Amino acid sequence: MTRILFALTPATGHVRPVLPVVQRLAQDGHDVTVYTGERFGDAIAAAGARHAPTTIGRDLPEALVEAWSRRNGAPPPGLRRLAWDVLHHVVLTIPGFLVDLADLVRDERPDVIVSDTAMVAGVLAGRVHGIPTVSLSVSPLSLTSRDTFPFGTGLQPPQGPVERARAAWMRVAVQRGLFRAAQREALQVVAEAGLPRPRGFVLDWAQTLADRVLHLSVPGLEYPRADLPTHVEVVGATARSGPAAPFDEPAWWPWLHAARASGRRVVVVTQGTLATDPAQLVLPALDALRGEDVLVVATTGAPGLERAVPATRRAENAVVERFVPFEHLLPLADVLVTNGGFGGVQEALAHGMPVVVAGRAQDKAEVGARVRWSGAGVVVHTDRVTDAATPAAVLRGVRQVLTDQRFAARARELACEYAALDGASRVADVVLGLAGRGALTADPA
């Protein structure tokens, strides 16, 4: 029996993709503990693992993240906001997480620590205590590369010597300029933890300091990189295998089957779980598609927000819910309109469904860039300050994806890639193999 400690950022998009791995390992008889926020306790218990809730480490509910950030001086969406987020939500949370993890390492004596790439404390704890680490990439691969522009720009890979030179200049400007404060604070955190100074850019540490990095996606949705380190592997998504779990179908569910039977298109609109202001995407999408011959299913992503959508904004061809299980909904739909959550985009593509991305906050500019690069969808403009889409932009995006069959064809090709890779099994195999190597020396080279 292997003792495994998962350290996961307390956010749905970071916990949910990892739970199938947790369940797989627990079912196979391994001793699994998951350190993350309080609200994920029931889901962790259902996966068969022990939950270790944060105590000193920050556990900020997702619905409050944006308001908290604005109160503390966060800039509008873009590279400056990404740098601010990395400083305040990643770097400055490391000390509290390290305290909690030190207690867990002492009590649980894990053979391996598995963390997501935003939980830098996970790989640092491994270095402090001499434990092997696996870092799971649950967003577009952020590792610095000479074959990409800096993460957060949302720019396609450079082509030709002029673009490559521009990308190289931007990497220096971003790392030494916008991320200067995050880099400085991160180095201070590492020094206080008693570790030697790591080399490289702070945004890369979760990937360069880990023994193995497993990217939870497929090759067709990630940029090719000639300089990809050998310890980094694209393993596929971690969707649960087997039939979808039963759920109580709402009263409007027969409309979906009727739409499919008649050839009427079904458009799913989602706000995700973090950026939940319906004015950013749900309301513009409802307005945009009001006169279209489609059935719209919009999900708000947070309790009570479905009631915040005024009756005057609810078109006759639309329903609004807080949440509908995608494993039931997506097989009956034709296109996903999303603010760019990586998990939702991957679920749609795994079902062979093209996407329309309307969002730039957090990592969403990079998600949209991958969608555009893959040919499986389009990106529509959002406001530079509010990150809200306009009805006209959403309508153009939906019409483009539904009328040009190349998007659906490419999405079906990606679905084959998802079907061919069992991400959960591969992650479990790597974790168990690494745990068998025993303790490592605390050398963050």
Side-chain angles (χ1 to χ4, degrees), residues 15-16 47 93 134 141 178 243 259-260 301 315 347 374:
V15 175
R16 186 172 180 266
T93 61
V134 177
L141 195 60
L178 292 177
R260 300 294 292 180
E347 285 192 66
S374 74

Side-chain angles (χ1 to χ4, degrees), residues 329-398:
L329 177 59
L330 294 184
L332 301 174
D334 296 281
V335 61
L336 176 70
V337 180
T338 170
N339 61 358
F342 196 49
V345 165
Q346 293 213 88
E347 285 192 66
L349 296 176
H351 283 86
M353 180 187 308
V355 295
V356 175
V357 177
R360 297 184 299 108
Q362 295 87 42
D363 62 351
K364 294 177 174 59
E366 292 296 333
V367 176
R370 264 70 168 182
V371 167
R372 179 184 169 197
W373 179 84
S374 74
V378 299
V379 178
V380 302
H381 175 77
T382 60
D383 187 87
R384 295 181 63 86
V385 175
T386 66
D387 206 22
T390 65
V394 173
L395 182 58
R396 283 194 301 271
V398 171

Side-chain angles (χ1 to χ4, degrees), residues 36-340:
T36 191
E38 181 73 35
R39 60 194 175 281
F40 298 104
D42 290 344
I44 292 166
R50 285 192 305 276
H51 178 217
T54 56
T55 54
I56 303 300
R58 184 196 297 171
D59 183 14
L60 185 62
E62 289 162 286
L64 303 180
V65 168
E66 184 61 23
W68 184 93
S69 299
R70 290 178 180 175
R71 286 198 306 271
N72 286 276
L79 265 179
R80 291 185 181 279
R81 174 59 183 268
L82 179 61
W84 191 95
D85 284 340
V86 168
L87 172 61
H88 290 83
H89 294 302
V90 177
V91 173
L92 294 181
T93 61
I94 291 174
F97 290 145
L98 281 178
V99 172
D100 287 348
L101 289 172
D103 292 339
L104 284 170
V105 168
R106 181 195 64 226
D107 296 340
E108 304 290 337
R109 299 178 61 83
D111 299 302
V112 62
I113 297 175
V114 185
S115 57
D116 66 274
T117 47
M119 177 63 79
V120 182
V123 293
L124 292 179
R127 293 292 175 172
V128 169
H129 301 286
I131 301 171
T133 56
V134 177
S135 185
L136 303 180
S137 173
V138 297
S139 65
L141 195 60
S142 61
L143 191 62
T144 300
S145 169
R146 65 173 180 265
D147 293 326
T148 67
F149 279 93
F151 188 82
T153 59
L155 296 173
Q156 302 291 287
Q159 303 296 320
V162 174
E163 282 196 4
R164 285 185 173 275
R166 177 173 172 244
W169 175 85
M170 288 184 65
R171 287 194 294 272
V172 172
V174 166
Q175 293 180 15
R176 297 182 181 177
L178 292 177
F179 282 82
R180 181 185 302 171
Q183 186 82 18
R184 181 179 63 247
E185 291 294 333
L187 289 171
Q188 180 65 30
V189 166
V190 170
E192 292 175 355
L195 287 170
R197 180 188 181 103
R199 293 191 295 268
F201 180 37
V202 60
L203 205 58
D204 295 335
W205 285 2
Q207 296 155 105
T208 56
L209 297 181
D211 295 285
R212 293 295 300 274
V213 177
L214 305 179
H215 183 42
L216 306 186
S217 185
V218 295
L221 194 62
E222 189 50 68
Y223 301 146
R225 301 161 184 249
D227 56 354
L228 189 70
T230 57
H231 74 293
V232 180
E233 180 183 353
V234 181
V235 298
T238 54
R240 297 178 185 272
S241 59
F247 88 114
D248 295 328
E249 295 179 352
W252 51 265
W253 202 256
W255 297 357
L256 289 172
H257 294 285
R260 300 294 292 180
S262 66
R264 189 182 185 193
R265 303 296 187 91
V266 177
V267 180
V268 176
V269 181
T270 179
Q271 286 274 165
T273 57
L274 188 58
T276 54
D277 181 356
Q280 288 183 314
L281 185 56
V282 167
L283 293 179
L286 292 176
D287 291 343
L289 301 172
R290 183 181 302 272
E292 298 293 291
D293 185 24
V294 297
L295 175 61
V296 181
V297 181
T299 62
T300 60
L305 286 181
E306 70 277 9
R307 296 189 295 274
V309 179
T312 55
R313 303 288 288 274
R314 295 175 182 245
E316 292 182 357
N317 65 338
V319 293
V320 181
E321 296 280 1
R322 180 186 71 84
F323 171 77
V324 181
F326 269 15
E327 63 265 31
H328 290 273
L329 177 59
L330 294 184
L332 301 174
D334 296 281
V335 61
L336 176 70
V337 180
T338 170
N339 61 358

Side-chain angles (χ1 to χ4, degrees), residues 11-58:
T12 300
H14 295 254
V15 175
R16 186 172 180 266
V18 183
L19 288 180
V21 181
V22 170
Q23 185 176 44
R24 181 76 54 90
L25 291 165
Q27 287 177 342
D28 288 345
H30 300 287
D31 188 329
V32 183
T33 299
V34 181
Y35 167 73
T36 191
E38 181 73 35
R39 60 194 175 281
F40 298 104
D42 290 344
I44 292 166
R50 285 192 305 276
H51 178 217
T54 56
T55 54
I56 303 300
R58 184 196 297 171

